[in-house]
């Protein structure tokens, strides 16, 4: 990862994680959808994570929280598909 931004609250939880514009490539691991199990206690609001403007491909994992993010968190990843992206992606 060449550049990223993470905002952490006073109690140590992540309130925003921006992974956009990092030339990330490949698929999003299914395990990232299950942050609600162990990692949710460290992350507030799953929609505050951005994967936009990378080179991600394949389906967005359908289990867990990743399908609840706004489509804007995935935009400009031409090979990425699945909910919440529009069907024409």
């Amino acid at each position: 990862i060449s550049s990223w931004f993470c905002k952490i609250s006073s109690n140590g939880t992540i309130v925003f994680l921006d992974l956009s514009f990092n030339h990330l490539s490949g698929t999003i691991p299914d395990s990232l959808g299950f942050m609600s199990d162990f990692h949710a206690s460290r992350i507030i609001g799953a929609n505050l994570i951005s994967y936009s403007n990378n080179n991600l491909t394949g389906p967005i994992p359908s289990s867990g929280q990743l399908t609840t993010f706004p489509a804007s968190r995935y935009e400009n990843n031409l090979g990425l598909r699945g909910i919440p992206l529009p069907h024409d992606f």
Side-chain angles (χ1 to χ4, degrees):
I1 296 177
S2 60
S3 174
W4 59 280
F5 172 78
C6 181
K7 182 177 179 181
I8 300 175
S9 70
S10 61
N11 67 359
T13 56
I14 297 172
V15 294
F16 188 79
L17 179 61
D18 186 355
L19 299 173
S20 60
F21 295 100
N22 275 288
H23 305 287
L24 299 176
S25 61
T27 60
I28 298 174
D30 288 336
S31 61
L32 289 180
F34 292 102
M35 290 188 290
S36 59
D37 295 337
F38 172 72
H39 297 98
S41 63
R42 304 294 296 169
I43 298 177
I44 298 172
N47 65 345
L48 297 177
I49 299 173
S50 179
Y51 299 101
S52 65
N53 301 292
N54 284 295
N55 298 308
L56 297 172
T57 59
I60 295 170
S62 60
S63 53
Q65 295 179 321
L66 296 180
T67 59
T68 66
F69 294 11
S72 62
R73 301 297 179 187
Y74 299 104
E75 67 187 5
N76 297 320
N77 285 288
L78 297 179
L80 203 56
R81 62 186 185 284
I83 297 173
L85 297 175
H87 294 286
D88 59 347
F89 276 91

